[in-house]
Amino acid sequence: MTTITSLEVRRIGGRIGAEVLGADLARDLPPAEFLTSALNEHKALFFRGQDLDDAGHARFASLFGELTTAHPTVPSVEGAPNVLAVNGDEGIRANRWHTDVTFVRTPPKATSLRGIVIPESGGNTLIANSVAAYNDLPGPLRDFADTLWAVHTNDYDYADPPSSAKAAEYRRVFTTTRYRTEHPVVRVHPETGERGLFVGGFATRIVGLSTAESADILRIFQSYVTRPENVVRWQWAPGDVLIFDNRATQHYAPDDYGTQPRLLHRVTVVGDAPVAIDGSTSRIVEGDDAAHYTGSEQGA
């Protein structure tokens, strides 16, 4: 447990996740250095009962760095270019483990979510520690992972097949520009130096292997990421805010709330190109550098 003035960081999972107590993000933002240190240690931070609008949410997320626009292909919330609506009520549910926007060369550093409309039951968010997963690998598997690269693409059904015309249109917009990027399967964290498994729902193939071989190998690595001891579950209430390190985690929103509405707003922080253990960086296979999304030259 860590404290600073009136703030307390209380661990809520054995290997991932901490709740920050005593923070009022609408009035007095915590020091950026304090939050960055806590995020590096715990991988995910949670804030209960905040009273933020989109502008306040963006101010909070900007403590961790420059903000991306809402998404490489999906439009933002009207009047809020950095904010993406995550609306389960429209039948658009990412019901699979993934790391955000890994199909571009410079995926976000961090993702922040804010609860707006929360189901009475279900609709939780699960976050997994991919650094702990790498450390769990037996030596031979770890050595194997160190050598591998994976292709990530947005032209992939990381969500269930479209169940409505609205969901089908979302899928069409999502793939308006097709991106394919090769990332190292083991990523070195740029701030902590930790190694983590960098795979997830947008990773479709291991470079140099067949589709069938790739599926088997990715399934093995995923099984380590999503072991229960590496996962924290957050039960939302309206106003809650969370932020997780997108370089060291995967997350999952179970589709277990039926026809109940669920609306979150998402803000992401500009990241850099993933670095392999030999120092080489991710490379574009198809598409562009998504500069319209990152808004910077990060990772160039």
Side-chain angles (χ1 to χ4, degrees):
M1 183 173 65
T2 304
T3 59
I4 180 171
T5 60
S6 61
L7 300 180
E8 178 182 328
V9 179
R10 181 179 298 170
R11 187 185 296 273
I12 58 175
R15 292 184 170 184
I16 179 174
E19 184 176 354
V20 180
L21 305 173
D24 184 346
L25 301 181
R27 293 173 179 265
D28 187 18
L29 291 172
E33 298 83 0
F34 173 74
L35 290 178
T36 296
S37 176
L39 188 64
N40 283 340
E41 179 180 356
H42 299 290
K43 310 297 187 274
L45 301 176
F46 304 88
F47 302 79
R48 282 287 189 198
Q50 302 299 312
D51 183 21
L52 293 181
D53 56 12
D54 286 332
H57 188 187
R59 280 193 300 273
F60 164 70
S62 67
L63 290 174
F64 297 87
E66 178 187 357
L67 300 185
T68 71
T69 52
H71 192 273
T73 57
V74 180
S76 70
V77 170
E78 186 174 357
N82 305 111
V83 180
L84 180 73
V86 181
N87 193 346
D89 191 38
E90 296 181 351
I92 305 160
R93 301 181 179 183
N95 193 36
R96 183 172 295 183
W97 286 101
H98 64 285
T99 297
D100 280 336
V101 201
T102 60
F103 46 84
V104 300
R105 183 170 179 262
T106 57
K109 168 185 178 178
T111 294
S112 180
L113 296 171
R114 181 171 112 254
I116 298 174
V117 179
I118 305 302
E120 290 186 6
S121 58
N124 300 168
T125 293
L126 283 68
I127 307 172
N129 185 339
S130 58
V131 171
Y134 175 81
N135 293 332
D136 285 342
L137 292 175
L141 264 182
R142 195 181 307 139
D143 293 343
F144 182 45
D146 287 344
T147 70
L148 299 177
W149 289 69
V151 176
H152 296 236
T153 180
N154 63 329
D155 191 12
Y156 176 55
D157 289 330
Y158 83 104
D160 289 335
S163 57
S164 66
K166 185 176 289 187
E169 174 61 13
Y170 182 89
R171 164 73 179 170
R172 186 194 68 78
V173 172
F174 193 84
T175 56
T176 301
T177 299
R178 177 173 167 170
Y179 293 98
R180 284 195 301 146
T181 302
E182 292 179 355
H183 292 302
V185 166
V186 177
R187 177 179 188 174
V188 179
H189 195 285
E191 296 175 34
T192 68
E194 296 172 311
R195 297 179 181 182
L197 289 174
F198 197 66
V199 283
F202 295 115
T204 59
R205 187 173 58 82
I206 299 294
V207 175
L209 300 182
S210 70
T211 301
E213 291 165 338
S214 297
D216 288 339
I217 291 168
L218 289 169
R219 184 171 59 249
I220 291 171
F221 292 142
Q222 275 295 115
S223 73
Y224 281 86
V225 175
T226 60
R227 294 170 86 174
E229 55 265 44
N230 292 334
V231 175
V232 65
R233 177 187 286 263
W234 186 250
Q235 186 173 358
W236 287 97
D240 288 356
V241 174
L242 69 80
I243 189 162
F244 52 80
D245 189 332
N246 200 55
R247 303 161 297 186
T249 62
Q250 291 184 30
H251 58 283
Y252 176 56
D255 183 4
D256 61 354
Y257 49 97
T259 59
Q260 300 175 87
R262 180 182 187 267
L263 175 64
L264 308 178
H265 278 188
R266 186 182 93 180
V267 180
T268 47
V269 180
V270 169
D272 50 9
V275 176
I277 63 173
D278 65 359
S280 53
T281 58
S282 300
R283 49 218 180 218
I284 297 169
V285 178
E286 183 178 358
D288 53 34
D289 62 1
H292 65 288
Y293 168 64
T294 63
S296 79
E297 298 301 319
Q298 293 283 338

